[in-house]
Amino acid sequence: ELLEPTRNVEVAVSACMRVILTFLVAVASVVIYMSLTSPASVWMNATALSFIYELSASVLDVSKRGVFGHPISKTMTTLNFELTFVSEYPPWFSYVRSIALTVCFG
């Protein structure tokens, strides 16, 4: 809402899919460890789940680069901002700042 006047459908769908994927990978991990008896089967299935989850992170990185469109890229990238103060600090600010700096850094 800060960057665009309306909510973007692609971003909402991709965010929901990512949450669902995380939940499904967690459920699948529990099922794997509870049901499989062979260490080799557990190892192979855990490796497959790890690959699927890392693939999701890779798709997120690609979307941040703008491959899937500008709105998704703009929303997925981190928001950088700075604060600017229009008014002056109150008279007591320098006194409190000096005390805080002295207490923190000696």
Side-chain angles (χ1 to χ4, degrees):
E1 292 180 8
L2 294 175
L3 300 175
E4 294 183 2
T6 60
R7 292 183 189 257
N8 196 334
V9 176
E10 294 105 0
V11 173
V13 169
S14 64
C16 290
M17 295 305 258
R18 187 158 169 84
V19 169
I20 290 169
L21 177 67
T22 302
F23 177 73
L24 289 176
V25 166
V27 169
S29 296
V30 170
V31 169
I32 284 173
Y33 292 123
M34 298 293 287
S35 64
L36 296 178
T37 56
S38 169
S41 297
V42 172
W43 182 260
M44 292 301 291
N45 286 319
T47 303
L49 282 176
S50 174
F51 171 74
I52 291 171
Y53 193 74
E54 288 298 320
L55 185 63
S56 170
S58 297
V59 169
L60 180 65
D61 290 339
V62 168
S63 68
K64 285 181 180 180
R65 283 187 241 135
V67 174
F68 298 131
H70 185 67
I72 292 176
S73 172
K74 193 165 55 170
T75 304
M76 293 297 177
T77 54
T78 57
L79 179 64
N80 295 322
F81 63 92
E82 65 181 55
L83 297 175
T84 54
F85 296 101
V86 177
S87 63
E88 295 291 322
Y89 292 115
W92 53 266
F93 180 79
S94 61
Y95 177 71
V96 173
R97 179 178 176 263
S98 300
I99 290 175
L101 289 174
T102 303
V103 168
C104 288
F105 301 111

